[in-house]
Amino acid sequence: MKLLTFIIVYPLIWILSILPMRLLYIISDCFRFILFNFIGYRKKVVISNLKMAFPEKPTDETQIITKKFYKHFVDLIFESIKSFTISRKEIEKRYVFKNVDVINAAVKNGRNIILTGSHQGNWELAFGLPFKTTINCFGAYTKIQNPYFEKVIKASRTKFGFDGVPTGIFNKTLEERIQNNLQSLYILLSDQSPQLHKTRYWANFLNNYVPVHTGAEVLAKKHDFTIINMNVTKVKRGYYEADFELITNTPNDYKNFEITDKYLKITEAHIKKQPEFYLWSHKRFKHKDKHDQWLEKRKTSQK
């Protein structure tokens, strides 16, 4: 069944991917009209997220952001499809990395790097980063259950030098590279909620108290990594700029969770500049009322 699904669907994806972007955006507009006006895909989730994140915004402004989000969201799908066959020339034109010297300075000093980021703008097209630096780049990702799609998607994401590592073996891969003195950069998008039983820390993010990932901070402290954050700005339709900000070269100088808090503040400020380009289609604040319950379970397990 998985092979049959792949045989039917993948040729369509490939045909779409070879179309010029201007034509893909026409298709995107048609699809977005249907998705937003008739299907209403996760519209309640998007609106709920926006109201909780920006309670001060009037309803009409929230509605405008919602419409802009859906336009961007569907564009993001088609831009991801385009990534299957996009050329180096086009990716470098559409996805510009600014001040990469922040990364290259750490590389020159022999540092391993954790590159934090968020689901803002377009994170899928960041696979052009290896063109701008000499360090080996790795990204954690969740494997797709269909092995045929898994193979072609991984090939697409890694064709420019970025290596994808399934989350299940990410720590093992990192440890092996450290043991072999292989200098590397590891990108971690840390703005999604972890599973409650894996949660170590809660923080105020976008006006809500939520569980947050702390893996970037934990790994950086354990192995003395440099932490750099990448912010992605949407310049116009189909064009993005990524800029880099040093969080720290000395992670062990920080108290527990201070680095995580710093990352969250940077991310929150950037989202507020372009809220329509953040990934609101997931239940961002689904655990916001469960902190006391989580805390009680944690106390019980520690007795």
Side-chain angles (χ1 to χ4, degrees):
M1 187 63 183
K2 290 181 179 179
L3 177 58
L4 179 61
T5 301
F6 176 78
I7 291 173
I8 295 172
V9 176
Y10 182 67
L12 175 60
I13 293 174
W14 187 84
I15 290 171
L16 286 171
S17 74
I18 64 175
L19 296 177
M21 288 301 302
R22 62 182 181 277
L23 182 54
L24 277 180
Y25 284 134
I26 293 174
I27 298 172
S28 177
D29 284 339
C30 295
F31 191 72
R32 184 262 310 165
F33 181 80
I34 296 171
L35 191 71
F36 182 79
N37 293 287
F38 296 101
I39 299 176
Y41 174 75
R42 294 195 176 186
K43 189 184 290 188
K44 290 183 179 179
V45 172
V46 172
I47 294 172
S48 176
N49 280 337
L50 287 169
K51 286 182 176 180
M52 286 189 284
F54 306 109
E56 77 285 357
K57 292 186 182 298
T59 301
D60 57 346
E61 186 176 354
T62 300
Q63 291 174 342
I64 291 172
I65 294 173
T66 300
K67 290 181 180 180
K68 288 181 177 180
F69 162 75
Y70 274 93
K71 183 181 180 72
H72 170 71
F73 176 67
V74 180
D75 279 357
L76 185 63
I77 294 172
F78 282 92
E79 288 166 4
S80 297
I81 290 173
K82 182 63 179 178
S83 70
F84 279 88
T85 58
I86 198 168
S87 66
R88 172 174 177 171
K89 181 179 180 181
E90 186 160 15
I91 193 71
E92 289 190 303
K93 179 179 74 172
R94 292 182 173 274
Y95 210 96
V96 176
F97 293 99
K98 303 173 66 179
N99 67 324
V100 188
D101 55 299
V102 175
I103 289 178
N104 290 333
V107 174
K108 186 177 180 180
N109 289 327
R111 303 285 295 171
N112 287 297
I113 301 168
I114 286 181
L115 183 65
T116 55
S118 65
H119 292 82
Q120 175 80 3
N122 188 321
W123 53 95
E124 293 287 349
L125 296 183
F127 58 28
L129 179 59
F131 295 143
K132 306 300 179 182
T133 182
T134 58
I135 194 170
N136 292 315
C137 299
F138 294 82
Y141 76 98
T142 302
K143 289 186 69 173
I144 297 171
Q145 294 301 311
N146 188 313
Y148 305 101
F149 277 110
E150 164 69 15
K151 183 177 179 180
V152 296
I153 290 174
K154 184 173 181 178
S156 172
R157 289 174 170 173
T158 60
K159 63 185 175 183
F160 294 138
F162 229 116
D163 198 354
V165 181
T167 52
I169 62 170
F170 182 81
N171 286 353
K172 179 182 177 182
T173 301
L174 183 146
E175 297 279 356
E176 288 176 349
R177 293 190 64 81
I178 291 173
Q179 291 172 8
N180 290 297
N181 295 314
L182 298 172
Q183 188 183 20
S184 306
L185 176 150
Y186 304 91
I187 185 167
L188 295 173
L189 303 183
S190 304
D191 58 321
Q192 291 182 306
S193 294
Q195 297 175 14
L196 282 182
H197 70 278
K198 295 182 179 180
T199 297
R200 300 181 67 233
Y201 181 58
W202 291 63
N204 191 302
F205 180 62
L206 291 169
N207 290 306
N208 291 272
Y209 204 54
V210 296
V212 294
H213 282 287
T214 58
E217 175 177 337
V218 170
L219 289 171
K221 286 187 172 184
K222 181 178 179 180
H223 302 293
D224 189 32
F225 281 10
T226 288
I227 303 183
I228 296 171
N229 189 69
M230 180 177 75
N231 283 324
V232 179
T233 300
K234 188 168 185 175
V235 179
K236 60 180 180 179
R237 195 176 199 182
Y239 290 84
Y240 302 88
E241 289 182 350
D243 65 87
F244 302 95
E245 179 178 351
L246 176 67
I247 291 183
T248 182
N249 277 316
T250 55
N252 287 297
D253 288 348
Y254 289 78
K255 295 179 181 178
N256 286 342
F257 310 122
E258 283 186 343
I259 291 174
T260 299
D261 284 336
K262 187 174 182 179
Y263 157 76
L264 290 172
K265 288 179 181 178
I266 292 171
T267 300
E268 185 178 274
H270 193 64
I271 291 169
K272 289 180 177 179
K273 291 179 181 178
Q274 292 187 318
E276 64 271 30
F277 302 139
Y278 189 57
L279 189 61
W280 297 109
S281 54
H282 292 63
K283 292 183 178 180
R284 290 287 170 189
F285 312 115
K286 60 185 176 182
H287 297 310
K288 70 183 186 70
D289 298 322
K290 298 179 181 178
H291 176 254
D292 290 343
Q293 178 184 345
W294 169 84
L295 193 61
E296 187 62 33
K297 285 184 177 180
R298 188 174 185 182
K299 288 180 180 178
T300 301
S301 65
Q302 291 175 345
K303 287 182 180 179

